[in-house]
Amino acid sequence: HVQLVESGGGSVQSGGSLRLSCSYSSSMTCMAWFRQAPGKERGGVAVTDSDGRVSYADSVKGRFLVSKDNAKNSVWLLMNNLKSEDTAMYYCAAEERGCTVVAARVPEYTHWGQGTQVTVS
């Protein structure tokens, strides 16, 4: 059973930064970050795979940065210049079979973290 543990959420003022962390219990091919605001569908934020390819949602390009340490089974999401529209529950997801790197897609991911709240005011 794969476990994902997230941390790093919180409240921040507009323009501020936060870094989310996700650790997982076994090596994965794809790691992704998703977010879900109240009343909205869960959507992809960023995805990275074992080949080092990375993609971001248009809404976060230039502001968010995903990084990964395969040896530590950890992935991070650095969020800069946060805006109120970034307020959401953020989820880390993992998949060992592969994924579509051009965009993070919910149905492709088997393993999910519990979520961490990010609030931007």
Side-chain angles (χ1 to χ4, degrees):
H1 177 67
V2 177
Q3 291 185 318
L4 281 72
V5 179
E6 301 153 356
S7 61
S11 296
V12 64
Q13 291 187 338
S14 181
S17 298
L18 283 173
R19 191 176 81 151
L20 307 182
S21 300
C22 175
S23 61
Y24 39 100
S25 56
S26 59
S27 61
M28 292 284 142
T29 300
C30 296
M31 298 298 302
W33 289 95
F34 293 84
R35 65 186 181 186
Q36 187 169 18
K40 294 187 177 181
E41 293 186 354
R42 190 172 300 187
V45 175
V47 58
T48 181
D49 71 358
S50 55
D51 291 330
R53 296 177 294 181
V54 180
S55 70
Y56 299 92
D58 288 343
S59 59
V60 307
K61 281 181 181 176
R63 300 188 298 123
F64 289 14
L65 179 68
V66 65
S67 58
K68 185 174 62 168
D69 187 329
N70 292 327
K72 295 182 178 180
N73 283 353
S74 295
V75 62
W76 297 270
L77 183 68
L78 176 60
M79 306 183 293
N80 296 316
N81 191 21
L82 283 162
K83 305 175 181 180
S84 58
E85 51 263 44
D86 294 318
T87 295
M89 185 72 78
Y90 283 71
Y91 297 91
C92 174
E95 179 55 52
E96 60 265 69
R97 296 172 295 176
C99 60
T100 304
V101 181
V102 294
R105 297 173 179 166
V106 170
E108 294 185 350
Y109 290 82
T110 303
H111 312 290
W112 292 83
Q114 78 284 0
T116 185
Q117 178 68 37
V118 171
T119 302
V120 184
S121 59

